């Protein structure tokens, strides 16, 4: 079978250019961060959460660099039609998730190096990370301007909300790890277990949903796919509601402890509360869309 590549005009298309920028900027970012040494960041033992968030940022940049590079190659040689997946849903998922996750990394990494760096390389890495976010956001915008048939289910509002839920759950992983590490041993452990299980179940549900949609397994589900999604949305609302209430409770309890708890612990719990609240809002809106869809089909 001969290899078919894009036409010359396709190499100057907005989609090709932004994907090339994604690959270049993410490669520059994780290469610079991987080459950093503790002396360049003026690292010290009080900055305990640096390693966890640095791993999260490195995973984000490397993961989406790998996905974007593979997709770019498949798109250029026109082999994507041979893969038994929904290409339009895959490209939209990678673009939007890449924008959301790189946005989180672009906020976390500058916060980590703020007032700690003695080298220009961390600053350049932070700027490159912001460029990576802008590139993924640009690709998301380009894909969203296409027709509904071209962008697939993941380009619709319910699909975008599901990717927002997925990114929120992924951001919870390093936050929960650091909250557990920062809090004194035995303090609020039952609350941490409840919230950790809630976040884990929601991430698993989001992952299953994305796999079903991207691999076109919707027709093979035992239940109708719209009811399947509505059930996941309802469970996500309930679990995040419990987690958000626990987060607000922890903030009040930390204020009562006062000097016994460090400012870092309070800041991490506040960050967890903000992310949980925003993700809960995404699940709530998604549930409203799912209920509306079920009602419309019931009247049809």
């Amino acid at each position: 079978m001969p290899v078919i590549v894009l036409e010359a005009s396709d190499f100057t298309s907005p989609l090709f250019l932004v994907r090339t920028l994604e690959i270049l900027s993410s490669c520059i970012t994780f290469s610079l961060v991987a080459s950093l040494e503790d002396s360049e960041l003026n690292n010290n033992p009080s900055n305990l959460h640096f390693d966890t968030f640095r791993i999260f940022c490195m995973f984000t940049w490397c993961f989406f660099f790998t996905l974007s590079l593979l997709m770019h190659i498949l798109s250029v040689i026109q082999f994507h039609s041979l893969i038994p997946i929904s290409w339009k849903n895959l490209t939209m998922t990678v673009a939007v998730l890449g924008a959301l996750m790189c946005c989180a990394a672009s906020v976390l990494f500058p916060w980590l190096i703020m007032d700690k760096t003695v080298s220009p390389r961390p600053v350049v890495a932070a700027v490159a990370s912001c460029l990576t976010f802008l590139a993924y956001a640009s690709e998301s915008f380009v894909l969203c301007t296409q027709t509904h048939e071209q962008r697939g289910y993941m380009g619709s509002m319910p699909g975008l909300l599901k990717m927002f839920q997925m990114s929120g759950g992924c951001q919870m992983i390093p936050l929960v790890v650091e909250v557990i590490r920062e809090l004194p041993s035995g303090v609020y452990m039952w609350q941490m277990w409840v919230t950790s299980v809630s976040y884990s179940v929601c991430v698993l549900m989001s992952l299953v949903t994305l796999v079903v949609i991207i691999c076109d397994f919707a027709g093979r589900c035992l239940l109708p796919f719209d009811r399947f999604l509505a059930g996941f949305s309802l469970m996500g609302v309930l679990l995040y509601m419990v987690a958000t209430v626990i987060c607000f409770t922890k903030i009040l309890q930390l204020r009562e402890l006062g000097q016994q708890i460090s400012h870092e612990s309070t800041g991490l719990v506040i960050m967890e509360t903000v992310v949980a609240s925003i993700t809960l809002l995404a699940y709530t809106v998604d549930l409203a869309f799912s209920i509306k869809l079920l009602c419309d089909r019931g009247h049809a």
Side-chain angles (χ1 to χ4, degrees):
M1 178 179 177
V3 176
I4 303 173
V5 298
L6 297 177
E7 297 180 358
S9 59
D10 294 326
F11 287 95
T12 57
S13 65
L15 202 56
F16 182 89
L17 294 176
V18 294
R19 284 177 178 168
T20 304
L21 179 59
E22 292 166 4
I23 295 170
L24 292 177
S25 58
S26 58
C27 181
I28 292 172
T29 304
F30 70 72
S31 298
L32 286 172
V33 176
S35 67
L36 295 178
E37 299 178 359
D38 290 348
S39 58
E40 293 181 276
L41 294 166
N42 194 23
N43 218 3
N44 56 72
S46 63
N47 194 19
L48 295 176
H49 51 265
F50 179 82
D51 287 338
T52 302
F53 289 132
R54 180 178 177 177
I55 292 172
F56 170 78
C57 294
M58 283 291 290
F59 172 81
T60 299
W61 296 320
C62 294
F63 179 74
F64 285 100
F65 164 79
T66 305
L67 278 181
S68 298
L69 181 60
L70 290 175
M71 290 173 53
H72 205 32
I73 294 173
L74 290 173
S75 179
V76 168
I77 63 177
Q78 297 288 287
F79 270 13
H80 59 272
S81 59
L82 303 178
I83 303 175
I85 59 175
S86 175
W87 181 256
K88 56 187 178 182
N89 284 317
L90 177 63
T91 53
M92 178 62 73
T93 300
V94 173
V96 177
L97 268 182
L100 293 172
M101 296 295 288
C102 289
C103 178
S106 299
V107 172
L108 276 176
F109 188 72
W111 173 65
L112 292 175
I113 66 173
M114 191 181 301
D115 299 328
K116 300 179 180 68
T117 181
V118 294
S119 169
R121 283 196 292 180
V123 178
V124 176
V127 173
S129 179
C130 293
L131 287 176
T132 305
F133 158 67
L134 291 175
Y136 277 107
S138 299
E139 183 185 1
S140 303
F141 175 77
V142 172
L143 293 175
C144 285
T145 57
Q146 297 177 341
T147 62
H148 178 72
E149 291 75 16
Q150 290 178 308
R151 63 177 187 252
Y153 174 84
M154 300 309 295
S156 63
M157 184 57 68
L160 295 174
L161 288 170
K162 286 171 178 56
M163 288 183 280
F164 204 100
Q165 297 159 11
M166 183 69 181
S167 67
C170 292
Q171 293 167 31
M172 283 298 185
I173 296 174
L175 283 173
V176 170
V177 170
E178 284 308 312
V179 169
I180 294 176
R181 180 185 296 181
E182 286 284 340
L183 291 176
S185 178
V187 177
Y188 315 133
M189 287 310 296
W190 72 269
Q191 296 172 327
M192 298 307 305
W193 277 109
V194 171
T195 52
S196 298
V197 171
S198 299
Y199 302 145
S200 301
V201 172
C202 290
V203 169
L204 181 61
M205 291 191 304
S206 298
L207 184 60
V208 169
T209 302
L210 292 181
V211 170
V212 169
I213 294 173
I214 293 174
C215 296
D216 279 335
F217 289 159
R220 305 178 188 178
C221 295
L222 298 178
L223 291 174
F225 189 56
D226 49 358
R227 296 183 182 180
F228 173 82
L229 295 179
F232 272 12
S233 298
L234 177 60
M235 191 176 299
V237 168
L238 295 176
L239 291 174
Y240 263 95
M241 193 177 296
V242 172
T244 305
V245 170
I246 290 176
C247 287
F248 278 107
T249 303
K250 284 190 293 187
I251 292 177
L252 297 176
Q253 292 172 332
L254 288 176
R255 291 182 61 183
E256 293 177 359
L257 291 175
Q259 299 296 328
Q260 302 178 34
I261 302 296
S262 65
H263 292 294
E264 289 79 5
S265 301
T266 305
L268 289 170
V269 173
I270 292 175
M271 290 172 62
E272 180 189 355
T273 306
V274 171
V275 177
S277 301
I278 296 174
T279 310
L280 172 60
L281 179 61
Y283 272 104
T284 304
V285 177
D286 188 26
L287 179 60
F289 273 104
S290 298
I291 294 174
K292 182 180 182 298
L293 179 61
L294 289 175
C295 292
D296 291 343
R297 293 191 176 180
H299 292 305

